[in-house]
Amino acid sequence: MKLSVALFFAGFFGALGAVFFLLSFGTDYWLLATETCSPENNGSKTVNAVPLEHGDMVTSPKKTDTTYHHEGFFWRCWFGGKLAEDNIWKFWFTNQPPSKLCMHSYLFPFPVTTPAHNSTSYDTAVIYRGFWSVFMLVGVAAVVMAGFIIICAAPFASHKLYKAGGGLFLIASVFFSAVVVMYVIWVQALSTMTDYKQQQKTSLCPDFQINIRYGWSFMLAPVGIFFSFLAGMLFLLIGRTVQMHYN
């Protein structure tokens, strides 16, 4: 009876882990970025080609351009819009315009634009994201294989299959943990974001601002890691119990 309960919870946790991993893998919202720029505020002392003098008052409204970016494993997309207080809702599926632009994120991860700008920086970014992509693919493959192996194990048929499935769940949790850590390093520690911001300030406008946050695809990964780890430990325990009592 206790073994059946443990098998139920192990299967339940494993299914949850697989669902969260697949959602994190298949949705392109690991990163959400908002770029704001005011082209009019460029330090000029003229308005409409008319020079300003001391004491002149300018009452023209300030226009701000906003670009919204989101990216994941497959795609990196961006679209324009007005600056709003609740910027997070701009990224929701129903609020995005149908005319947004997308490119393959594994070739041009945000904020990399073209390989011609800085060849060394581009090569480093692509190599780093290549390892990140491989780790994610291994994690997804491991959790899918674990599910098939557990299904084939049947009720207490083979302790080896339970152990193999549990090991694969643990492998998936380890690789997705590496994926999460590498992505945090990509956003927070590497100089890619800082260089991009400085480049935009120099070439676009002095008051260029970028706001970066982690998206819901990123948030799903740690939840999947937790459930996958629990499932792996339970299946290993079930496999050992079946080996001791049924063989």
Side-chain angles (χ1 to χ4, degrees):
M1 181 64 181
K2 293 182 179 180
L3 197 59
S4 299
V5 174
L7 182 60
F8 169 78
F9 279 106
F12 179 70
F13 292 151
L16 285 178
V19 168
F20 282 115
F21 280 162
L22 291 175
L23 286 175
S24 179
F25 170 72
T27 54
D28 298 312
Y29 295 93
W30 275 74
L31 178 140
L32 308 177
T34 304
E35 295 181 357
T36 57
C37 177
S38 300
E40 295 176 357
N41 187 17
N42 55 7
S44 176
K45 298 300 181 180
T46 63
V47 174
N48 295 329
V50 178
L52 295 178
E53 298 180 358
H54 180 72
D56 289 343
M57 181 179 295
V58 179
T59 59
S60 59
K62 182 179 179 180
K63 182 180 178 181
T64 302
D65 296 330
T66 305
T67 305
Y68 298 90
H69 299 263
H70 67 87
E71 75 160 358
F73 178 84
F74 294 101
W75 296 101
R76 163 191 170 188
C77 302
W78 64 95
F79 56 91
K82 296 181 179 180
L83 184 63
E85 293 183 359
D86 297 329
N87 286 331
I88 187 67
W89 294 109
K90 282 284 188 179
F91 296 99
W92 193 248
F93 310 100
T94 57
N95 296 333
Q96 296 183 18
S99 59
K100 68 177 182 179
L101 303 175
C102 296
M103 65 171 59
H104 294 294
S105 60
Y106 54 85
L107 292 177
F108 301 100
F110 184 84
V112 177
T113 53
T114 60
H117 174 67
N118 189 328
S119 180
T120 303
S121 177
Y122 173 77
D123 293 341
T124 303
V126 170
I127 292 173
Y128 188 91
R129 289 298 293 265
F131 278 103
W132 181 82
S133 301
V134 169
F135 284 1
M136 182 177 286
L137 285 173
V138 172
V140 171
V143 77
V144 171
M145 290 176 59
F148 281 113
I149 290 176
I150 294 301
I151 292 174
C152 294
F156 317 123
S158 172
H159 67 276
K160 294 181 180 180
L161 292 179
Y162 281 117
K163 289 183 177 180
L168 286 173
F169 272 115
L170 292 179
I171 290 174
S173 65
V174 169
F175 272 94
F176 261 90
S177 298
V179 166
V180 171
V181 172
M182 289 182 68
Y183 205 80
V184 172
I185 293 175
W186 169 263
V187 175
Q188 301 293 340
L190 298 183
S191 62
T192 309
M193 299 296 177
T194 306
D195 295 342
Y196 174 74
K197 184 176 180 180
Q198 188 61 38
Q199 174 198 348
Q200 295 297 90
K201 281 188 173 183
T202 303
S203 61
L204 193 60
C205 62
D207 62 345
F208 175 83
Q209 295 293 331
I210 181 170
N211 182 25
I212 298 175
R213 67 186 74 184
Y214 299 106
W216 38 85
S217 300
F218 176 89
M219 301 299 180
L220 292 175
V223 181
I225 291 170
F226 174 75
F227 284 117
S228 181
F229 180 80
L230 285 181
M233 296 300 294
L234 284 175
F235 279 123
L236 289 178
L237 180 62
I238 291 171
R240 182 175 180 181
T241 303
V242 170
Q243 182 181 9
M244 294 174 60
H245 294 87
Y246 288 84
N247 293 328

